[in-house]
Amino acid sequence: MTHPTDLDFFAGLAITGTVLGVDATSDLATVQEVLGDEHFYEQPRVNKSDWEYATSDYGLVEIGWSRERGSAEWICGYAGTQNHRLSRGSRRTRRRTAGLRLRQRYGQFRPLLNIEDLRAAVEDHGFTMDSTPQWVGADFSLYWVPGVSTTMNVAVSDPDWGPPGTVAKMLGGGASEQHLNHKARVAFDGEKKQFDAYGKELRKLSDEQRAEWLDEHQPEAGADRTLWWSFLRSPHSYRENEQPPWTELMYALDRDAAVRGIDTPDRAALTQLHWAGNADLVERPTLDEAITQWLATTPTLDEGRRLAAATTLTPDEIRLSRRLRDQSHELRAHLQSITDSTVADHLLNWINLGPQLLRHPYFG
């Protein structure tokens, strides 16, 4: 059997969003069990802040933590790799190293990773990459595998990060929708005044009139339509967007996006959680209704357990596992507020299963 290489490691991170099975959904104990507990550094609190910060620094791999003062639980904010350290060294250790555990598994790591080499490896495994420039004149462009929150920061113009095309960082945290939102801003930010006008017009329309307006204005089906809807619904698109009747409009657009297939059923359910209990809405979903809607989009628990136990997965199974791991983690915060014990028990089973998904390094 061919020995796995550093390119297998980087492709696996891009595709699954995990480092040897840990990511931004992992807790500190799991990270330290997998990667070791000797590289955890708490940062001095700044200006009597209510928040404390820490870093798990393994050389190439870095994981960032925060917690509110007085809390015992560290919450992961980001996880991934600082690739530039392979050529420049860690700020803390000054050593150009990938870390012992990674070197034992993958051998020597190249000092510079080119995005085209990484793209080829990702595509060989049946996945695609998407990208967008960050901003005009920026030092980096951004790349990602759709559905995965890990962002590849790729050098464009600053030689300190390496020749153009060098992957300087691969960090992920939070929901992968941030990539879509960012791409929409790049695509439509120059039309913000037009979208402001759209919002003022839409606020005055009935449900039937808004449906006709959307039929007339939304682009043809495809990527442009998805980006257009993302910008239309973005808080960056409107002024005073947190106050009624903007609240009612944004809620209506979220429902419209679900009906029109812009949001997948699982994402539509999670979007409803944002509105559950919102006092500014005359009609609003309950938390239990939104959770029940999400549970209806998931496979059976037996299928989830099969995915968690498998040591090989198809691309579609990896994408599904990534979605379930992210979303079950996102729903943890709502567990204690559910009133229906049956719904709570079903969700708890998924929350407990989530960390078991994608825990194997499938590519190497």
Side-chain angles (χ1 to χ4, degrees):
M1 185 173 67
T2 303
H3 191 279
T5 69
D6 62 331
L7 197 54
D8 292 315
F9 167 78
F10 289 124
L13 172 56
I15 290 167
T16 70
T18 67
V19 174
L20 298 182
V22 302
D23 63 8
T25 71
S26 302
D27 58 27
L28 180 59
T30 300
V31 168
Q32 293 185 335
E33 178 184 355
V34 173
L35 297 173
D37 61 1
E38 68 273 25
H39 302 289
F40 181 76
Y41 304 95
E42 294 190 47
Q43 301 172 13
R45 189 180 301 124
V46 178
N47 298 329
K48 300 181 179 179
S49 170
D50 289 335
W51 286 89
E52 301 172 326
Y53 299 92
T55 303
S56 296
D57 183 346
Y58 300 98
L60 170 64
V61 174
E62 180 176 290
I63 301 174
W65 309 92
S66 65
R67 68 180 178 185
E68 198 164 7
R69 186 168 53 181
S71 172
E73 182 181 10
W74 288 100
I75 305 299
C76 187
Y78 67 89
T81 58
Q82 300 279 7
N83 298 40
H84 57 89
R85 291 179 181 172
L86 294 173
S87 59
R88 295 163 53 182
S90 168
R91 290 174 298 177
R92 182 171 284 107
T93 66
R94 301 300 178 188
R95 290 183 294 119
R96 303 176 185 180
T97 177
L100 178 60
R101 299 196 182 195
L102 292 186
R103 296 201 313 275
Q104 287 175 334
R105 184 175 185 88
Y106 296 98
Q108 185 67 31
F109 276 68
R110 66 195 69 193
L112 298 174
L113 173 65
N114 183 271
I115 187 60
E116 295 307 323
D117 292 337
L118 179 58
R119 185 203 299 274
V122 165
E123 292 178 348
D124 282 346
H125 290 295
F127 293 80
T128 61
M129 272 193 181
D130 201 351
S131 65
T132 186
Q134 190 160 5
W135 297 112
V136 175
D139 292 336
F140 296 103
S141 57
L142 306 182
Y143 290 73
W144 63 91
V145 172
V148 184
S149 68
T150 298
T151 300
M152 279 70 79
N153 286 48
V154 177
V156 174
S157 59
D158 189 340
D160 287 343
W161 297 105
T166 299
V167 181
K169 303 170 184 280
M170 297 178 65
L171 298 175
S176 59
E177 282 73 18
Q178 64 182 324
H179 291 137
L180 178 63
N181 294 338
H182 176 78
K183 192 170 183 178
R185 290 187 67 185
V186 172
F188 290 104
D189 205 47
E191 301 178 34
K192 188 173 185 308
K193 289 184 179 180
Q194 181 64 67
F195 278 81
D196 284 340
Y198 287 165
K200 293 174 183 177
E201 182 178 356
L202 285 166
R203 287 170 55 189
K204 304 172 185 177
L205 303 182
S206 66
D207 288 349
E208 182 177 349
Q209 291 171 328
R210 189 179 65 256
E212 293 176 354
W213 186 97
L214 290 169
D215 288 339
E216 180 182 349
H217 286 80
Q218 70 178 5
E220 295 295 323
D224 288 346
R225 177 183 288 185
T226 302
L227 292 177
W228 184 87
W229 268 92
S230 179
F231 199 76
L232 183 71
R233 300 160 66 196
S234 168
H236 300 288
S237 301
Y238 306 109
R239 302 183 183 94
E240 308 172 53
N241 58 76
E242 292 299 326
Q243 301 174 10
W246 291 106
T247 303
E248 294 177 359
L249 172 60
M250 299 307 289
Y251 176 54
L253 290 174
D254 281 348
R255 287 182 296 149
D256 292 337
V259 170
R260 291 167 178 262
I262 303 301
D263 286 350
T264 56
D266 55 304
R267 177 46 53 188
L270 294 180
T271 299
Q272 291 301 296
L273 284 173
H274 173 75
W275 302 109
N278 190 308
D280 292 331
L281 296 172
V282 176
E283 296 182 6
R284 54 187 178 270
T286 67
L287 177 67
D288 285 32
E289 288 171 343
I291 298 292
T292 299
Q293 183 181 341
W294 180 81
L295 289 170
T297 72
T298 63
T300 65
L301 279 167
D302 284 345
E303 174 63 6
R305 295 183 181 110
R306 184 192 69 78
L307 293 173
T311 55
T312 59
L313 294 173
T314 67
D316 283 344
E317 288 173 333
I318 288 173
R319 282 185 276 263
L320 175 59
S321 298
R322 183 68 265 173
R323 170 173 77 82
L324 292 171
R325 180 164 170 159
D326 284 338
Q327 294 183 354
S328 60
H329 179 75
E330 184 178 344
L331 290 167
R332 285 182 57 204
H334 301 284
L335 181 63
Q336 300 304 317
S337 301
I338 298 172
T339 59
D340 187 320
S341 60
T342 301
V343 174
D345 289 345
H346 195 173
L347 177 60
L348 180 59
N349 286 331
W350 275 110
I351 290 172
N352 291 335
L353 182 62
Q356 303 304 311
L357 297 164
L358 298 179
R359 72 183 188 278
H360 298 295
Y362 299 98
F363 311 115

